Structure formats: C-alpha cells, structure tokens
C-alpha cells in the first residue's frame, strides 16, 4: 500500500488528490486557485473535514508548499517519504507520447517543445512539476497526457486537409484532449457493463465547460472531436468548436481587431457565453431559457445539435454503436441537458430512454435506457485523477 498524488496544475490553479494505492482510496483532496492574487484560495478536504483559507499565493511554488505543509499539519501524512509517486496531468503530449511517461529531462524537453501548441497550460504543468520535485525529490514522478489515448487514430482521422508540408514541418494535425477521461469511461464500461468484451463500439461524451466526444472500438480511440488544440470540436462554455475557418479571417477583416484578439474571442467569448450573451455556466443559460430568453434557448439547441452531429458521424465511423456514455459537469449533473441531446439522436439510433431514470441520475452512475433500446445509454461520472493514480502505481512498480 503506497500513497500517490495526482496533480492537475493549470495557469492559475492546482487541483490535487492523494490516493492510497492500489486500493484507490482517496485520502484527501483540494485545490489552490487564483494563484498570482492577494486573495487566492486554498482548500483541503479529508475525512469529512474541509478547510478553506484565503491568502496571497503569488506563484505555483507557494501553492505547492501550502498543500504539502497542510498534509503534515493535518496529520494526513507523518513524513513526505510516504508519498511514493506524483502524477502530473499534462494537456498536450503532441506526437511524442502515446502513454504516460516518467517526468525526466527528456519528457521536460518535449513538453517545452510543445509550448506553442498549448501556451496556456504547458508552462503551468512544468511549474507544478518543479514545485513538487523540490519538496518530494525522491518520489517517482510521471506525466499523464490528455492526448495520449488519441494517438491510436488513423491518419485519415487525424490529418487536416491542408498543405502537407505544414503537417510535416509543424506537426499541425488533430491531437484531441480529455483522453484520460475518455479512456476511464471506456475501461469502466467494458469492465462493468460488457464483461470485459472490448470489441463493443462506444461513444463517450465528455461535456463540461470544455467538451469533447470520442469514438472507441477495441478499447482504443478511433476518432475524437477536439483538434490541434481544445478549441476544436463541439461548442463549449466559451469556445466555438469547429467553424468554417473563413469566419476567423472575415472577422479580422471586418472588426479591424488583430488575429490574436479574434482568436482570443473564439476561445474565451464564444460558445454558450457568446451565443446566449448570458454566461458560460449552463445553469444560468438554462434558467434564462426557461424564462423565455430566445438567445439562451438557441445556444442550448445549437450545443445539442453539434453534439448530435458528432454522435451521428461517429456511429457511421464505428459501423454502429453499442453504448453512449454521458459524462463531465453538464451531462453528469443535468437530466435536462441530456434530454436535449437525446431528443436529437434517439429516433435515428432507435434509443428508448427511461425518462424517470434519466431524471434521477444526478452526479451518479447508472443506465438511462429502457428495455428494447438498440443502444445502451449510461451516465458515468468521470475520474481522471484515479487514472493518474493508477499510472503512478504502475510507475512505482516499474511497470509504466
Ligand atoms: P471543466 O472541467 O471543463 O471546467 P466541468 O466538467 O467541471 O468543466 O463542468 C463544469 C460545467 O458544468 C459548469 O460550468 C456548468 O456549466 C456545468 N454544470 C454543472 N452542474 C450543472 C447542472 N446541474 N446543470 C447544468 N450544468 C451544470
């Protein structure tokens, strides 16, 4: 039995979860957010206890020190050498990583090379890595990549129809994201619902503030909706997803804004926020739609339509579909948002929904289809951290 720490460092936050492995027991979890601010937030939760502190946390190093000090202070660990492995989530693994890797000089060099593909997260991942390494120099450290699961895609699924020299010279292609989540969902479905039969055709829907879909066969990704970066695919909280690239050029011409400004707007001011003009939070958008706000309702219908388009295309790609899995913030928690999608796909896929079951499943796992449904539809809360902890344990055993 060993302790493994799963770390998710973003540009201004660090989320962490300490596991006892291989039991997969969560010992404590928490976050540091608003790093770089005087009123940053530190949280630790364990054994039903929760502490919140608001204090200046000016960089990731200070954030990590707070986390580790709290582990000792609150008696969660007696000494740091109890933490045998640390796994860091890394968003972009480019062409280099098709599975998790030891966080060594070579891995760091490759992540650094990939910064242009992920300028927002990659530097934060490296800061998180160094900050933990300083206090836990002996722990086995690994990087777990959001893109790794998607490396099994065939060229016709990841290439862009652009001049080939750009693909070759700049590695400009589809990488996808949320791979750890899609893989967790597929593994769980195969083990718990298909008695280990990996040949089943599964479409996983990770629909949170960031959102992507994945088509899975033989336990492997064959297609996924995010692209070169997480801006591609379905519409999201603030991101536009796939659009005609001319929109970008046209808006630069029309507005006189720089290409960087328009790009920023496609990332941060589009999606639910842009279309509804209300919020990127789907709870606010739904409540406005229920009060009759037309733009809010259009944004929800547009989102559902884009998701349905991908489900249709992936059904063809897989030669049929055996299971559809809803996951992540919006569709783990909202029967209403699931219904918008189900209304758009059920007729074509001959899905028979048990609406009472759908209404009951909020933040928990279960099946929402009725007898006779041609496709099984499930809700499974995702767990990217346990995947990181599992790889930490394998790495500790030298079996990564
Ligand atoms: P990310 O990890 O990409 O930040 P999450 O998967 O945590 O996103 O999803 C967060 C989003 O889920 C929130 O922004 C909110 O829009 C949505 N959400 C959470 N609970 C509900 C709910 N009950 N109804 C509708 N939307 C919800």
């Amino acid at each position: 039995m060993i302790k493994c720490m799963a770390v998710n460092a973003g540009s201004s936050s660090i989320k962490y979860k300490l596991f006892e492995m291989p039991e997969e027991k969560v010992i404590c979890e928490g976050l540091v957010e608003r790093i770089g601010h005087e009123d940053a937030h530190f949280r630790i939760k364990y054994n039903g206890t929760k502490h919140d502190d608001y204090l200046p946390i000016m960089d990731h190093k200070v954030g990590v020190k707070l986390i580790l000090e709290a582990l000792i202070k609150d008696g969660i660990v007696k000494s740091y050498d109890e933490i045998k492995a640390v796994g860091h989530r890394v968003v972009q693994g480019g062409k280099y990583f098709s599975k998790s890797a030891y966080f060594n000089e070579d891995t760091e060099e490759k992540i650094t090379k990939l910064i242009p593909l992920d300028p927002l997260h990659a530097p934060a991942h490296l800061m998180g890595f160094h900050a933990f390494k300083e206090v836990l120099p002996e722990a086995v450290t690994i990087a777990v990549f959001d893109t790794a699961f998607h490396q099994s895609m065939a060229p016709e699924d990841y290439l862009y129809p652009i001049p080939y020299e750009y693909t070759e010279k700049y590695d400009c292609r589809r990488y996808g994201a949320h791979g750890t989540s899609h893989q967790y969902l597929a593994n769980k479905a195969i083990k718990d619902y298909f008695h280990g039969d990996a040949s089943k055709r599964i479409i996983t829907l990770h629909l949170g503030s960031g959102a992507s879909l994945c088509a899975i066969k033989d336990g492997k990704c064959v297609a996924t909706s995010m692209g070169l970066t997480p801006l591609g695919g379905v519409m999201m909280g603030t991101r536009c997803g796939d659009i005609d690239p001319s929109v970008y050029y046209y808006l630069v011409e029309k507005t006189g804004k720089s290409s960087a400004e328009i790009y920023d707007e496609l990332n941060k001011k589009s999606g639910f926020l842009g279309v509804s003009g209300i919020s990127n939070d789907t709870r606010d958008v739904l409540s406005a739609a229920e009060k009759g706000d037309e733009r809010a309702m259009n944004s929800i219908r547009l989102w559902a339509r884009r998701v349905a388009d991908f489900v249709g295309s992936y059904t063809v790609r897989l030669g049929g579909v055996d299971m559809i899995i809803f996951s992540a913030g919006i569709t783990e928690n909202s029967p209403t948002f699931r219904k918008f999608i189900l209304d758009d796909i059920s007729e074509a896929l001959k899905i028979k929904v048990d609406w009472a079951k759908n209404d009951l499943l909020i933040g928990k796992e279960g099946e929402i289809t009725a007898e006779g449904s041609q496709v099984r539809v499930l809700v499974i809360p995702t767990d990217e951290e346990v995947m990181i902890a599992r790889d930490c344990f394998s790495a500790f055993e030298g079996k990564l």
Side-chain angles (χ1 to χ4, degrees), residues 15 178 206-211 280-283 328-330 333-334 337:
K15 293 186 193 135
H178 294 144
H206 178 113
L207 303 175
S209 166
N280 61 329
D281 192 311
T282 32
R283 289 164 284 205
I330 301 175
N333 295 309
S334 172
F337 277 88

Side-chain angles (χ1 to χ4, degrees), residues 195-233:
H195 313 289
D197 179 1
S199 70
K200 297 294 181 190
R201 299 155 302 182
I202 301 171
I203 302 176
T204 46
L205 280 60
H206 178 113
L207 303 175
S209 166
S212 68
L213 285 84
C214 189
I216 296 161
K217 175 122 189 9
D218 298 322
K220 294 199 172 82
C221 162
V222 298
T224 194
S225 61
M226 279 178 167
L228 174 73
T229 72
L231 182 58

Side-chain angles (χ1 to χ4, degrees), residues 109-356:
E109 206 174 283
K110 286 174 176 150
I111 294 173
T112 307
K113 266 196 210 154
L114 292 166
I115 289 178
L117 279 181
D118 187 19
L120 206 67
H121 300 107
H125 300 325
L126 293 173
M127 275 191 275
F129 160 64
H130 285 293
F132 271 95
K133 200 73 198 157
E134 207 175 297
V135 191
L136 303 174
E138 299 303 326
V140 173
T141 307
I142 60 165
V144 179
F145 301 92
D146 265 19
T147 49
F149 182 58
H150 304 308
Q151 283 291 299
S152 50
M153 284 188 287
E156 61 270 35
D157 289 301
Y158 70 70
L159 285 175
Y160 285 132
I162 55 172
Y164 202 69
E165 62 174 297
Y166 296 146
T167 307
E168 285 189 316
K169 215 164 151 186
Y170 304 119
D171 297 317
C172 186
R173 46 158 284 187
R174 180 192 303 278
Y175 293 103
H178 294 144
T180 314
S181 169
H182 292 295
Q183 188 174 17
Y184 170 82
L185 299 170
N187 288 355
K188 189 158 185 23
I190 290 165
K191 181 168 162 276
D192 296 350
Y193 294 86
F194 291 130
H195 313 289
D197 179 1
S199 70
K200 297 294 181 190
R201 299 155 302 182
I202 301 171
I203 302 176
T204 46
L205 280 60
H206 178 113
L207 303 175
S209 166
S212 68
L213 285 84
C214 189
I216 296 161
K217 175 122 189 9
D218 298 322
K220 294 199 172 82
C221 162
V222 298
T224 194
S225 61
M226 279 178 167
L228 174 73
T229 72
L231 182 58
V234 289
M235 169 182 144
M236 307 176 216
T238 62
R239 295 182 212 141
C240 59
D242 289 353
I243 52 171
D244 175 353
S246 310
V247 170
Y248 178 56
Y249 184 71
Y250 179 73
L251 290 179
V252 170
E253 292 286 296
K254 274 290 186 194
T255 59
K257 292 183 180 175
S258 69
S259 59
E261 279 173 288
I262 295 294
Y263 181 59
D264 197 57
E265 291 187 349
L266 296 177
N267 262 297
K268 297 186 190 149
K269 299 206 170 136
S270 301
F272 274 109
L273 175 63
V275 181
S276 72
I278 290 168
S279 172
N280 61 329
D281 192 311
T282 32
R283 289 164 284 205
D284 302 337
V285 177
L286 181 62
S287 97
E290 284 170 345
K291 289 186 191 114
D293 188 297
E294 204 174 318
R295 270 174 62 184
M297 184 50 88
N298 282 344
S299 72
I300 298 173
R301 289 201 197 288
L302 173 56
W303 171 83
R305 187 60 46 86
R306 304 307 309 274
V307 173
D309 287 347
F310 271 97
V311 171
S313 126
Y314 287 173
T315 302
V316 173
R317 176 67 185 79
L318 291 167
V321 57
D322 300 299
M323 181 177 281
I324 290 172
I325 303 172
F326 283 114
S327 194
I330 301 175
T331 49
E332 278 173 25
N333 295 309
S334 172
T336 312
F337 277 88
R338 290 196 294 262
K339 183 170 188 307
F340 277 105
I341 295 170
L342 290 163
D343 283 346
D344 277 1
I345 62 173
S346 291
E347 190 182 344
L349 299 181
K350 299 192 172 53
I351 293 171
K352 268 175 59 184
V353 181
D354 183 329
W355 293 111

Side-chain angles (χ1 to χ4, degrees), residues 71 320 371:
L71 295 183
E371 280 270 319

